[in-house]
Amino acid sequence: MDLVLTTFLKMAFILAVILGLVPVLIWAERKGSAFIQDRTGPNRAGIAGIRLAGLIHPIADVLKLLFKEDVRPAGVHRVMYALAPFLVFFVSLLTYAVIPFGDYLEVGGRRIPLVVADLDVGILYVLAIASLGTYGIVMGGWASNNKYTFLGAVRSTSQMISYEISMGLALMGLLLVSESLRLTDVVAGQGQLLWGFLPRWGVVVQPLGAILFMTAAFAETNRNPFDLPEGESELVSGYHLEYSSMKFALFFMAEYTNLVVASALIATLYFGGWNIPWLPRAVIEARAGVLLPLLLAAHVAICALAAALYLRRASRERGKFGDGRDREPGLMAGVAILLGLAGLAALALRPWEIGPAGASLLATVLQVGAFVGKVVFFCWFFIWVRWTLPRFRYDQLMHLGWKVMLPLALANLVVTAVVAAFV
């Protein structure tokens, strides 16, 4: 019973993080594209006149898609047409089961590993489940009875086959170094130091493999410059052209869910996962009485600085818009002040006298925070690249996959195997 409960709680935590990041990423996508292209970005939707720099827009999107008419064109294959978006979204969630988001959580002397399913073949599970997403795209493109959607589905199939081979070969080089298919072992091995000072991250021991894996991850998630299956200028909208309402929303959410999956895998395999450089768990627990007050003091200082900046902006822009936007800087300053007061209240509880149980909890929180921070960084990296690089032509896409990445992945694997045999 305890195992079922802990597994359920870990699944709930992962789903909360994923589904919470999706609307934030949609907002960040719009604001990031507007910043890169020198545009205003989302600033219209609001609640009681409060717009919060466009953060209300994801709520408006959800309401719009919920009440939008579900149009189904004539001539579609009804079963596959209806099943495709659910399959794509469901598969995008399954991959998270084997990704560790922390070391362990100690409760009542019992250590609970922070991974839903610690499989011996974790990396193979990731590759197997990720490849299933192609079926949903092909089903949706073919069942829609539209030439543009069918072309998008064909492009997606050839693209994923081409780049999954390079991705698998890049991972094989990492497996030779880590000597395990279990993702928890891969992350634990990255907590060591090379030559006493350099973190033994995957990007350090496999730099070419990391570049190949990240490039293939862009292709797997259909993000620019690899968004050929959705090319608006060529295929109108690609494989999901004939979908509307919540069916389209599932395709849309699956894209951002896959974005979080790819970011989590990059962080786990090549950037230490939940490991904090030069700060292992033993050191955190031993120095918790020093680290926790410093963190709380830094939190209070950041909140004070944010409140001061918001108040300064409020005084400068008083009456500038003549609507609810004039109240937003003051509202955000109030939120920053409340968070700062919470930090001061925590300092009043004498955190330097933290006990062993609190030190263990602090180490877990910092490790989970480090993992989530790395995931958020790579999500931002995906957004930045999308709005910076242009889309490849189809022949360029195939040339890069088969004539550049595949030979490089094979060469990386051979060199890694030779070095591993002698070292």
Side-chain angles (χ1 to χ4, degrees), residues 302-319:
I302 292 172
C303 289
L305 178 62
L309 292 175
Y310 277 119
L311 290 174
R312 180 185 178 188
R313 179 182 171 187
S315 63
R316 285 185 172 185
E317 299 181 356
R318 184 176 290 111

Side-chain angles (χ1 to χ4, degrees), residues 71-78 143-146 242:
V71 179
R72 185 174 62 190
V76 302
H77 190 289
R78 295 191 176 187
S144 296
N145 193 30
N146 182 297
E242 298 290 0

Side-chain angles (χ1 to χ4, degrees), residues 166-414:
S166 299
M167 176 181 284
L169 290 172
L171 282 177
M172 289 177 67
L174 182 67
L175 297 180
L176 286 173
V177 176
S178 60
E179 300 180 348
S180 177
L181 293 170
R182 190 192 295 262
L183 286 175
T184 50
D185 293 340
V186 174
V187 176
Q190 295 181 69
Q192 304 170 10
L193 295 177
L194 292 174
W195 305 297
F197 70 95
L198 187 63
R200 193 175 177 269
W201 286 3
V203 70
V204 175
V205 297
Q206 283 283 287
L208 179 58
I211 295 173
L212 293 172
F213 184 87
M214 285 190 284
T215 305
F218 274 93
E220 290 287 302
T221 53
N222 296 327
R223 304 277 300 182
N224 260 18
F226 299 95
D227 65 334
L228 273 297
E230 305 174 13
E232 290 88 352
S233 59
E234 304 163 13
L235 303 179
V236 186
S237 187
Y239 62 90
H240 54 64
L241 169 63
E242 298 290 0
Y243 286 90
S244 60
S245 187
M246 285 306 296
K247 290 187 177 69
F248 169 77
L250 288 175
F251 276 120
F252 192 59
M253 291 172 63
E255 177 181 338
Y256 286 95
T257 305
N258 287 326
L259 175 62
V260 182
V261 170
S263 301
L265 284 174
I266 293 171
T268 299
L269 296 170
Y270 293 100
F271 288 88
W274 42 260
N275 285 299
I276 305 174
W278 308 291
L279 203 61
R281 186 182 185 96
V283 174
I284 297 175
E285 293 181 352
R287 305 290 178 84
V290 177
L291 289 173
L292 183 55
L294 288 176
L295 290 172
L296 290 174
H299 167 78
V300 172
I302 292 172
C303 289
L305 178 62
L309 292 175
Y310 277 119
L311 290 174
R312 180 185 178 188
R313 179 182 171 187
S315 63
R316 285 185 172 185
E317 299 181 356
R318 184 176 290 111
K320 176 181 178 181
F321 301 102
D323 56 25
R325 282 176 288 180
D326 294 331
R327 300 190 296 272
E328 289 183 12
L331 176 64
M332 297 305 296
V335 172
I337 291 172
L338 288 176
L339 292 174
L341 291 175
L344 287 174
L347 282 171
L349 296 176
R350 304 170 68 88
W352 49 87
E353 297 179 357
I354 188 172
S360 177
L361 179 61
L362 175 65
T364 299
V365 171
L366 290 180
Q367 288 178 338
V368 174
F371 175 76
V372 174
K374 293 174 185 178
V375 171
V376 171
F377 171 80
F378 284 109
C379 288
W380 168 82
F381 178 71
F382 271 85
I383 293 172
W384 176 43
V385 170
R386 175 180 179 180
W387 296 101
T388 303
L389 300 179
R391 180 185 303 126
F392 287 135
R393 294 197 315 265
Y394 188 72
D395 60 315
Q396 294 172 331
L397 180 84
M398 292 293 105
H399 180 275
L400 178 65
W402 290 104
K403 295 185 178 181
V404 178
M405 290 186 59
L406 181 58
L408 285 176
L410 286 170
N412 179 71
L413 178 60
V414 171

